[in-house]
Amino acid sequence: MTATGVRADTRIVARADGRGGTALPVLDSDGPLALRRTRSSGTGAKVMVVGAMSGPLGGDRFTLTARVEQGARLHVGSAAATLALPGQAKDEARYEVRLDVADGAELRWLPEQLISARGSDLHVTTRAELAAGARLVLREEQVLGRAGEEPGRLTSRLTVRVAGRTVLDQELSCGPGAPGGWDGPAVLAGHRAVGQLVVVRPEFAQEPVQARMVDECAALVPLAGPAVLVSAVAPDALRLRRVLDQALAQFG
């Protein structure tokens, strides 16, 4: 911890154990991000991210790195929602997620919601690098403000690359100080929950998924590669989760 906030660098490495399962040779917790291996079904490993402290607060710098090596399967979730709060430091908080999935490996990245509380200022960056034969399910959900509360400033950037090619690179900025129109009809249209679901599967290259509506406020679109994106807005976190679960269920 420094005068300007907390620094945390948390790492996960998943590796095939040679017996049909997945080992976790690296499971390094740091600061407010505690990693816990939990029971899983099948051949994969499951890790939960547990918040050991409040945050991220203003000035905090969090980094979470996950690498899934060839033949391994990893599911990462979180025990509770992440709550971005204002801190004593006036600087913005930063939360960086780096995901690396090798050929023949699979990662399911399914954390709970990120809630932007009034007065907070958080910049989230998620970058996923996948080999050509990698598989990914990635869910992001942001909730703007707690019940009856105006949101803080939240900027979220999501980048997905497959075999060195960028298939998705998007950024959304909401709340006080964000570019005008973020709450207008072309973006959130007054909704307070927004989410993305990215599914990458090698078979999509031969069997492209067709664009379609998943819900009144959710659309599924194919990306320029073996991947699809579901984007959704909803009045609250519960409705958003239902819509994204419905979309994921369509892929089996």
Side-chain angles (χ1 to χ4, degrees), residues 58-77:
D60 289 352
R61 300 289 186 270
F62 296 173
T63 301
L64 201 167
T65 303
R67 187 171 83 246
V68 189
E69 298 182 354
Q70 187 170 12
R73 299 178 62 199
L74 176 65
H75 179 132
V76 179

Side-chain angles (χ1 to χ4, degrees), residues 12-15 17 19-29 34-50 72-77:
I12 307 169
V13 175
R15 180 175 299 158
D17 63 7
R19 303 186 303 273
T22 299
L24 297 173
V26 178
L27 199 63
D28 289 344
S29 302
L35 303 175
R36 301 288 184 265
R37 180 166 190 169
T38 61
R39 181 176 298 178
S40 63
S41 58
T43 61
K46 186 172 183 179
V47 174
M48 299 297 288
V49 181
V50 180
R73 299 178 62 199
L74 176 65
H75 179 132
V76 179

